[in-house]
Amino acid sequence: MVDVLEHLVRAPATRAAVSDLNAWFARLGECPFTLPIDRALWAGFAADRLGYAFVGGYRAALARLFTWGADALAGSTGGTYVWPSIEARLSLAATEARGAHPRAIETTLSDESGALVLRGVKTVATLASAADELLVVASRGIDPDGKPRLVLVRVRSNACGVRIEDRAPTPFAPEIPHARVTLADVMVTSDDVLPGDGYAVYLKPFRTIEDTLVLAAALGHVLGAARAHGFAPSMAEGALALAIALREVAARSPADPVAHLTLAGLFTAAKRLIAEHDPEWEKADATTRDRWRRDLGLLMIAETAHQQRTSAAWTLLGSQT
């Protein structure tokens, strides 16, 4: 089998229209690649729109989070934990009314007479209404040093006490559902609690992992569109070069400040590539062109968080910009 980079430049670039999210999940199941970064690139190339490319990147990011968790916990209970399947439909439910930083988490996991009970409200959970399982960030109290003690809990989306309400579609990529999730006395077991610290092992690294793999999916989509619609070769070449660099970032620890700086540079380069080649989209059909321009806001999500992470990386490396 060819590797993913050869696939991006050799496979037929004509992409069948995707009827809905369920059809797209079915198509993602056809991916022949194993590495999450390769799955993200493949998904973007196969997607008929940027929104579905994002879904592929998000799903690949969760798969990468679990391989990272297994590596980070090697030699502890994480080594024998049964992680969710790479094909699972999942939603990471972290964001609450005050945000997704550790002190904003008010959802609780309580031990009540030997039973574990989950209570709280997640204001925005991507793909929650399409998920089989929710990955809920919850607090188990405060550590002696004053820091919140967070855990990640697996919850079936149809479990008793779970209510999922889709929010109004966003102006960009309305195909991606975002939901409010209410957890009212949801009973879980100790096996549902993922091993390791909920912040250090899952929530914090996921921000970097998601950015990396969603950008990869977007670049796979750009490359596929460039080939499908006869855009200038420089557009496909630029996307391919950035994809190769992203594979290096994806192979590094999501805690590595060098990876953070490289990712920041790749986002800047990707935005420049897209802006410089915007006129090429006039060669595509009107529906494809207009949908692409409508959905570009996806690449601007969490811009402030990106800048903060980059600044922190320079500080860790003892440099200032």
Side-chain angles (χ1 to χ4, degrees):
M1 182 181 72
V2 298
D3 70 15
V4 71
L5 299 175
E6 288 187 72
H7 176 83
L8 296 177
V9 297
R10 285 187 171 184
T14 53
R15 293 164 293 181
V18 179
S19 58
D20 57 29
L21 190 56
N22 282 329
W24 179 235
F25 275 122
R27 189 172 300 178
L28 288 174
E30 300 171 3
C31 179
F33 301 105
T34 301
L35 286 178
I37 181 66
D38 292 352
R39 294 176 72 86
L41 289 165
W42 180 91
F45 183 84
D48 70 341
R49 65 198 71 184
L50 190 57
Y52 287 145
F54 174 93
V55 171
Y58 179 87
R59 192 182 198 188
L62 286 171
R64 171 59 180 137
L65 181 64
F66 298 138
T67 63
W68 157 253
D71 291 342
L73 297 168
S76 68
T77 54
T80 58
Y81 185 79
V82 179
W83 302 90
S85 164
I86 197 170
E87 302 295 347
R89 296 191 187 189
L90 304 170
S91 171
L92 180 63
T95 303
E96 300 192 7
R98 296 192 297 119
H101 54 89
R103 296 189 186 280
I105 303 301
E106 297 180 352
T107 295
T108 60
L109 180 66
S110 304
D111 189 337
E112 301 179 7
S113 301
L116 293 178
V117 183
L118 197 60
R119 297 186 181 94
V121 176
K122 300 298 181 179
T123 53
V124 182
T126 300
L127 294 178
S129 60
D132 296 322
E133 280 189 342
L134 308 174
L135 302 170
V136 178
V137 180
S139 172
R140 298 200 78 169
I142 304 297
D143 282 332
D145 60 4
K147 294 181 179 179
R149 188 166 69 252
L150 300 184
V151 291
L152 194 65
V153 187
R154 295 172 65 172
V155 181
R156 295 291 300 178
S157 59
N158 61 356
C160 183
V162 176
R163 185 167 77 251
I164 300 174
E165 304 165 281
D166 270 334
R167 299 170 63 93
T170 55
F172 49 82
E175 302 89 347
I176 305 173
H178 305 276
R180 176 185 175 91
V181 178
T182 302
L183 304 153
D185 299 331
V186 178
M187 306 291 290
V188 298
T189 71
S190 58
D191 289 340
D192 296 320
V193 181
L194 275 69
D197 183 86
Y199 179 68
V201 179
Y202 303 106
L203 186 56
K204 185 177 181 179
F206 185 71
R207 295 166 179 169
T208 299
I209 293 169
E210 181 185 26
D211 286 346
T212 302
L213 272 70
V214 165
L215 181 57
L219 289 169
H221 185 67
V222 166
L223 202 157
R227 290 187 53 216
H229 301 293
F231 295 172
S234 58
M235 190 173 186
E237 292 160 4
L240 183 64
L242 295 174
I244 291 173
L246 273 174
R247 292 180 91 212
E248 170 63 24
V249 172
R252 302 177 77 94
S253 164
D256 183 354
V258 173
H260 295 168
L261 297 182
T262 306
L263 183 58
L266 292 174
F267 262 101
T268 299
K271 292 173 185 176
R272 184 182 302 119
L273 177 76
I274 288 168
E276 290 175 350
H277 289 86
D278 181 71
E280 294 295 318
W281 287 91
E282 299 299 328
K283 298 175 183 177
D285 61 274
T287 298
T288 298
R289 178 192 66 228
D290 294 346
R291 190 163 55 202
W292 162 260
R293 289 175 175 164
R294 177 200 69 187
D295 293 345
L296 274 175
L298 276 173
L299 299 182
M300 301 302 295
I301 293 176
E303 186 70 18
T304 299
H306 296 172
Q307 294 171 357
Q308 292 172 344
R309 182 177 60 207
T310 303
S311 177
W314 280 118
T315 299
L316 283 171
L317 292 169
S319 302
Q320 293 287 335
T321 57

